[in-house]
Structures are given as C-alpha cells and as structure tokens.
Amino acid sequence: MSDKKETNDAKGIVFNIQHYSIHDGPGIRTSVFLKGCFLRCIWCQNPESQSLKPDLFYFEERCTGCGRCAATCPANAIEIIETKSYTDRGKCNGAGECIQVCPNDARNLMGKEMTAQEVFQKVKGDELFYKRSNGGVTLTGGEPLFQPDFSKNILLLCRQAGIHTAIETCGFADWEQFKDVLQYTDLVLFDLKHMNSEKHCEYTGIPNELILENVRKIHHELGIPIRARIPVIPGYNDSVQDIHEFAKFVVNELDNLLIMRFSNRSCACLITHQLSVC
Ligand code: SF4
Ligand code: SF4
C-alpha cells in the first residue's frame, strides 16, 4: 500500500472536532478529540472518550418519556420510568436506532468513524485562523496514541499542508509508536498527573514509569518542544510537595526548558525558567 493511499484511507473514531480552541497550544487551533484512552483518571472530564467504541449519550433534561425509543430498541435495553428513559448499558449494542426516533434529540452517539482525509478537510477549513494567529491543529482525546496510525496520518496531512501540529498525550504508549506519530508533530502537550507512581496508579489505573521515560526520550532523543500540563485536582495532586515534585522533575530531568501550565477551574499559573510559582 502506498503512503498516499494509507494516508487517505486511515480510519479512526472521533468524538468531537472543536473549532476556535485557544487552550490547546499556541494561537487559534482546531482540536480533534479522538476516542480511546489507556488511563482511567478518577477526575476525567471526558469519560465518554475512554472506550474506543461509540458510546450512547443521554440528555435527561430533553427527555419527555414518550417511549418511542423503548418501542424501537431491538435489544430491549430501554425502560421508561415515569417521564424518563433508562438504558441498560449491558444490553445496549450501540447501533443507535433509538437516536433516529427520538423527537427531542435526547439521545446521541459520541464517536464517529472518519478517515484521516475527512478530518484533515475539517481542519483545513480553519486555515485562515491559523495563519493569523500562528495556530494549528491539536490531536487530543481520549489519547491520540490509542489510535496511532490514524493520528499519524492526520498529522502527516496537516504537516504536508503547512499546518502547525500538536498532540496532547498522557504519555503512556509504546515508544516505537510514539516515534512514528511524533515525526509529524511540532509540539507535545504532555499531561503529568502525579510524580508518585503508586499514587499515579491509584488515581489513573497505571503507574507512571513508562510515562516519565517517554517524556524524557521526547525531550532528549527527539528534541521536540514540550509543554507540560498538570491538571491540578484538589486533594489529589495539589499539595506543596506535589507541586515541588512536578517542578523538580521539569528542572532536573528536562533541562529547565519547559513552561508548565497548571490549571483547574479556579486557578491557572505558570512555572517558568525562574521557577516562580504564583
Ligand atoms: S424517544 Fe427521546 S424523548 Fe422519548 S422517551 Fe426516548 S429519549 Fe425520551
Ligand atoms: S443504541 Fe440500539 S440497543 Fe442501544 S438503547 Fe438505542 S436502540 Fe437500544
């Protein structure tokens, strides 16, 4: 199979394409949210992104309990109780017949199969914004490395079109796959969750050794710019010692070259080369 054909035909599951993003890298960007993730962070803001398969989404406030979905469901997975519908996820096959018959758009499928070329065409539509703001495309999720071939091919198409490329990653992936994807990546937004491996495992389901090894390699072997991002979760990774450990890792292991962005709903601050913490 030629590179060209592979690029155009590579398929993956996307659960959102967000235009005009300003928090996922420099400038104005198009953020492509890919399904599937290796981690199970207990604070995950996008749990619908965790599995690779499309997930049924239900907007309870829109449901009037009309019962059309229950009457249509071939898996007998839906029950109407008073004015709301309830879905047995164990029975649901995700085919989505209930979505077609709902008059109130109370049901939707999160996750759609697309080709790399289709994603690229959506991204390319925002090119004017990238040029004016030094922006570009960011693959996020979920975890872009969960669909490495798909991610690589989207990034390749963008690179060929002169669009700045970034990925946001949790860092847990096979190194060879990382290298493959990163050959077309201009910037890595690297999520650091916790520096203590036991706590990392407790909060995300996996230890952090491979993650830290990968971020070191990206910096030292590939020399790709990294922007470390820490989701500051009260009670989990926001103690003075936690912040100190994050900062120490960046300074000692990554040559003090990074800007770290701390964020949660209530606070955002930067640690710069001078390690000034606000
Ligand atoms: S068809 Fe839609 S509005 Fe009617 S019960 Fe089902 S989810 Fe609710
Ligand atoms: S997606 Fe299909 S199986 Fe699942 S609740 Fe809707 S109709 Fe039933």
Side-chain angles (χ1 to χ4, degrees):
M1 190 185 293
S2 72
D3 280 354
K4 177 78 174 160
K5 186 171 188 326
E6 189 176 281
T7 295
N8 290 331
D9 289 352
K11 287 181 179 168
I13 308 293
V14 176
F15 77 92
N16 193 17
I17 295 180
Q18 184 174 301
H19 303 275
Y20 215 79
S21 288
I22 54 171
H23 298 298
D24 291 328
I28 297 170
R29 309 190 73 80
T30 300
S31 298
V32 180
F33 292 79
L34 304 183
K35 286 271 282 172
C37 188
F38 301 105
L39 274 58
R40 292 292 179 268
C41 302
I42 56 181
W43 54 77
C44 181
Q45 290 184 327
N46 298 318
E48 67 276 15
S49 71
Q50 290 177 345
S51 84
L52 188 58
K53 71 176 180 58
D55 281 321
L56 183 67
F57 224 66
Y58 174 56
F59 302 92
E60 185 180 336
E61 68 283 0
R62 298 181 192 166
C63 177
T64 57
C66 71
R68 290 188 200 181
C69 54
T72 304
C73 177
N76 210 17
I78 304 174
E79 189 180 358
I80 306 296
I81 301 177
E82 297 181 353
T83 58
K84 300 296 172 193
S85 67
Y86 295 86
T87 304
D88 182 338
R89 302 272 168 174
K91 290 184 182 172
C92 174
N93 61 23
E97 288 93 334
C98 56
I99 296 165
Q100 310 303 326
V101 299
C102 178
N104 302 318
D105 290 331
R107 292 169 169 267
N108 210 338
L109 269 188
M110 299 297 279
K112 179 183 172 194
E113 186 176 80
M114 298 180 76
T115 65
Q117 182 64 229
E118 286 170 336
V119 174
F120 169 67
Q121 290 303 326
K122 299 262 186 201
V123 170
K124 197 170 176 339
D126 294 337
E127 212 170 5
L128 190 61
F129 295 112
Y130 313 147
K131 285 188 175 147
R132 295 201 166 184
S133 67
N134 291 323
V137 64
T138 300
L139 302 190
T140 180
E143 166 56 55
L145 268 292
F146 205 88
Q147 303 187 64
D149 287 340
F150 185 47
S151 294
K152 179 182 82 171
N153 285 314
I154 296 169
L155 294 166
L156 170 58
L157 285 165
C158 292
R159 170 71 64 83
Q160 287 172 336
I163 296 171
H164 181 270
T165 57
I167 65 166
E168 181 178 22
T169 178
C170 71
F172 186 79
D174 174 81
W175 177 240
E176 291 305 314
Q177 289 183 333
F178 245 127
K179 278 202 298 188
D180 208 27
V181 169
L182 292 179
Q183 61 184 313
Y184 306 117
T185 304
D186 298 315
L187 172 69
V188 178
L189 307 175
F190 205 102
D191 288 347
L192 293 171
K193 320 278 192 192
H194 211 293
M195 297 310 299
N196 179 298
S197 190
E198 273 182 29
K199 287 188 176 171
H200 195 284
C201 194
E202 183 184 343
Y203 300 151
T204 72
I206 58 158
N208 69 6
E209 282 82 2
L210 178 63
I211 291 169
L212 299 183
E213 193 55 32
N214 280 337
V215 71
R216 289 184 189 102
K217 283 180 175 172
I218 292 170
H219 178 55
H220 292 292
E221 289 185 23
L222 304 182
I224 297 174
I226 298 171
R227 191 172 288 186
R229 288 153 59 114
I230 291 99
V232 179
I233 311 298
Y236 292 98
N237 64 358
D238 66 336
S239 71
V240 171
Q241 186 184 352
D242 291 332
I243 303 301
H244 181 74
E245 293 298 325
F246 283 131
K248 198 167 76 176
F249 178 78
V250 172
V251 172
N252 293 342
E253 304 264 4
L254 303 174
D255 297 339
N256 195 14
L257 290 174
L258 308 184
I259 293 176
M260 298 170 65
R261 181 168 184 273
F262 289 69
S263 64
N264 66 6
R265 285 194 180 84
S266 60
C267 102
C269 59
L270 297 176
I271 290 184
T272 67
H273 292 190
Q274 293 78 38
L275 282 184
S276 55
V277 185
C278 55

